[in-house]
Amino acid sequence: MSIISFTSSPPWAGVAPADWNDWRWQLRHRLVTLAQLEQRLALTPAERAGIRLTGGKLALAITPHFFNLIDADDERCPIRRQVVPRLEESAFSPDEMADPCGEDGDMVAPGLVHRYPDRVLFLVTDRCASYCRYCTRSRIVSGAGEQELDTDFDEAFRYLARHTEVRDVLFSGGDPLLLSDARLEGLLARVRAIPHIQLVRLGSRAPIFLPQRVTPELCAMLKKFHPLWLSIHTNHPRELTVETRAALARLADAGIPLGNQSVLLKGVNNDALTLTELCQKLLLCRVRPYYLYQCDLIRGSAHLRTTIQEGLDLMNRLRGHTTGYAVPQYVVDGPGGGGKIPLNPNYIIAKTSDRFVLRNYRGDIYEYPEPSPEPAVLQHGRWKD
Ligand SMILES: *Cc1c(COP(=O)(O)O)cnc(C)c1O
């Protein structure tokens, strides 16, 4: 497994390890302006123009840790494409939306989305350590977009207490791990005080953007709220640095089951070798690939989106070819509010009244005869005595 740490490489070579390893130092030293980025990276004209336009859309922010993963000599670097704005971001196509998953329509209290029967999405902050240029919530995340996330915690908790059908609460945002330990602990305690809520989940990219955030103290705090699951968001195997692997190990050692959500992105991970490597390495980090998302129709994402057919072809190259645990479920969020819809390559060739004709991962054909609806013929001899 070739995982590289860039910690000691320029341009932060002189930083004391104690500072570098401090998540608040990382946040304070994020690259957030054109000038800061330009000092460290030879930007292309399309990137420069893109950065100038971020103020009205989605803020620019890249942690030093994540910035160091960018290959400065490669304009098409898959890390760079995820976080450095490009001019294409301001080209909106007619199919694109500000709220592609239709979350605002399912908001039962400001910041609380109740779409599925037994679980809710709780947007607890609008801040992230770095901003993904394809963010599906760019309308409310980072403070630059057109809407404000105005979560009403008291109203949300009142809703949860009243709705006994809700057994699973997913904290997201923004990134819940950007809250302080004390603030997050307070929210987790309030959720845990509701008897019918069985499962608590966090969605966070902090282990990738800001692995220093995953301190032993944080893990000890999270452990008190089991069963607590955490989904991370990685798209490319290069994100699994030594620091990130150590952070994931601390979380796993705290008994937190880990999943990963990737977004299928053109020029980042839309090839079978990259996806396979990512999913296999995640298993070594004790992270189970959970979802592979078709990129949402967020405004300004055309340059990052693939076709669904390409996604299906990639899934076809994973299933059966590698460990089943390494294979995520490919899903598309039904544009406008349909929720997650699974997408699978077709393994059913034909279905007749009494059998299924199937293909395996290699394309070989097999038939499965369905059990006959008639009762099985009795073996008379066995029932006589
Ligand atoms: C993704 C999502 C969930 C969680 O879905 P799972 O398939 O259970 O992981 C819940 N609510 C909303 C609105 C979501 O988008």
Side-chain angles (χ1 to χ4, degrees):
M1 198 162 162
S2 64
I3 287 174
I4 314 155
S5 170
F6 292 83
T7 303
S8 58
S9 69
W12 282 284
V15 173
D19 281 337
W20 183 268
N21 295 324
D22 173 357
W23 65 278
R24 296 191 186 275
W25 183 95
Q26 288 279 336
L27 285 181
R28 276 200 307 276
H29 290 84
R30 292 188 299 178
L31 304 176
V32 296
T33 66
L34 174 59
Q36 288 170 343
L37 208 50
E38 197 128 50
Q39 261 176 19
R40 293 172 169 85
L41 197 60
L43 296 170
T44 66
E47 288 171 334
R48 212 170 290 121
I51 294 165
R52 289 210 175 89
L53 293 162
T54 53
K57 191 177 175 268
L58 175 71
L60 161 70
I62 310 173
T63 55
H65 170 85
F66 200 69
F67 178 85
N68 269 1
L69 308 186
I70 293 176
D71 177 353
D73 298 326
D74 180 7
E75 282 176 13
R76 300 181 345 172
C77 165
I79 303 295
R80 181 173 181 154
R81 267 180 89 75
Q82 295 182 55
V83 291
V84 177
R86 302 178 57 82
L87 181 59
E88 291 101 304
E89 262 183 37
S90 53
F92 299 166
S93 80
D95 292 329
E96 293 174 345
M97 292 168 254
D99 177 18
C101 301
E103 292 174 338
D104 290 344
D106 280 329
M107 262 196 207
V108 292
L112 190 69
V113 185
H114 190 181
R115 159 164 304 155
Y116 300 104
D118 66 342
R119 54 207 188 279
V120 294
L121 173 67
F122 197 170
L123 306 177
V124 297
T125 173
D126 64 353
R127 295 304 142 110
C128 292
S130 303
Y131 293 109
C132 310
R133 303 320 304 172
Y134 49 88
C135 176
T136 192
R137 282 188 207 116
S138 52
R139 73 190 184 285
I140 44 175
V141 161
S142 90
E146 56 203 31
Q147 278 172 246
E148 286 261 320
L149 175 68
D150 202 9
T151 301
D152 185 331
F153 288 94
D154 289 334
E155 195 183 332
F157 280 110
R158 271 198 302 276
Y159 180 92
L160 292 177
R162 263 200 327 271
H163 284 261
T164 51
E165 75 277 20
V166 178
R167 42 163 291 286
D168 171 5
V169 174
L170 169 53
F171 280 12
S172 184
D175 193 323
L177 291 191
L178 278 210
L179 302 178
S180 68
D181 288 6
R183 177 100 178 91
L184 186 56
E185 180 165 10
L187 293 176
L188 290 169
R190 279 180 88 174
V191 168
R192 275 286 172 235
I194 303 173
H196 53 267
I197 291 174
Q198 301 165 354
L199 186 65
V200 184
R201 294 193 272 171
L202 303 177
S204 172
R205 207 176 182 184
I208 312 304
F209 283 150
L210 189 67
Q212 301 80 8
R213 174 68 186 95
V214 185
T215 59
E217 295 74 33
L218 174 75
C219 296
M221 184 274 281
L222 293 177
K223 241 178 119 153
K224 295 194 280 186
F225 298 98
H226 275 315
L228 180 144
W229 291 50
L230 192 146
S231 279
I232 62 167
H233 169 31
T234 57
N235 293 321
H236 193 280
R238 259 177 38 206
E239 295 164 32
L240 300 172
T241 59
V242 285
E243 293 89 346
T244 290
R245 287 172 67 200
L248 295 171
R250 286 193 289 276
L251 291 164
D253 287 346
I256 301 171
L258 300 172
N260 179 63
Q261 317 196 76
S262 290
V263 180
L264 182 56
L265 295 168
K266 194 199 282 183
V268 174
N269 57 12
N270 62 330
D271 71 276
L273 285 180
T274 302
L275 265 189
T276 304
E277 185 189 343
L278 172 66
C279 293
Q280 290 174 344
K281 284 185 171 168
L282 282 166
L283 291 189
L284 304 188
C285 301
R286 291 181 278 171
V287 180
R288 164 78 155 102
Y290 182 37
Y291 285 135
L292 173 67
Y293 287 95
Q294 175 64 16
C295 186
D296 289 324
L297 292 166
I298 186 72
R299 287 196 297 189
S301 64
H303 61 296
L304 290 169
R305 276 189 274 123
T306 66
T307 61
I308 286 183
Q309 187 58 54
E310 187 172 356
L312 290 171
D313 293 344
L314 286 166
M315 290 308 299
N316 201 38
R317 298 276 299 273
L318 278 178
R319 172 66 66 198
H321 296 273
T322 190
T323 310
Y325 276 128
V327 182
Q329 174 65 57
Y330 181 36
V331 291
V332 60
D333 236 287
K340 295 176 185 72
I341 300 170
L343 296 168
N344 294 303
N346 190 22
Y347 293 95
I348 301 173
I349 305 293
K351 177 186 184 301
T352 65
S353 58
D354 68 342
R355 58 194 55 226
F356 272 84
V357 184
L358 309 164
R359 71 163 177 93
N360 71 1
Y361 73 100
R362 281 208 220 85
D364 307 327
I365 307 294
Y366 295 87
E367 287 189 19
Y368 187 93
E370 297 275 77
S372 146
E374 311 298 323
V377 178
L378 291 179
Q379 305 264 315
H380 294 291
R382 290 192 56 189
W383 291 93
K384 281 238 162 91
D385 43 39

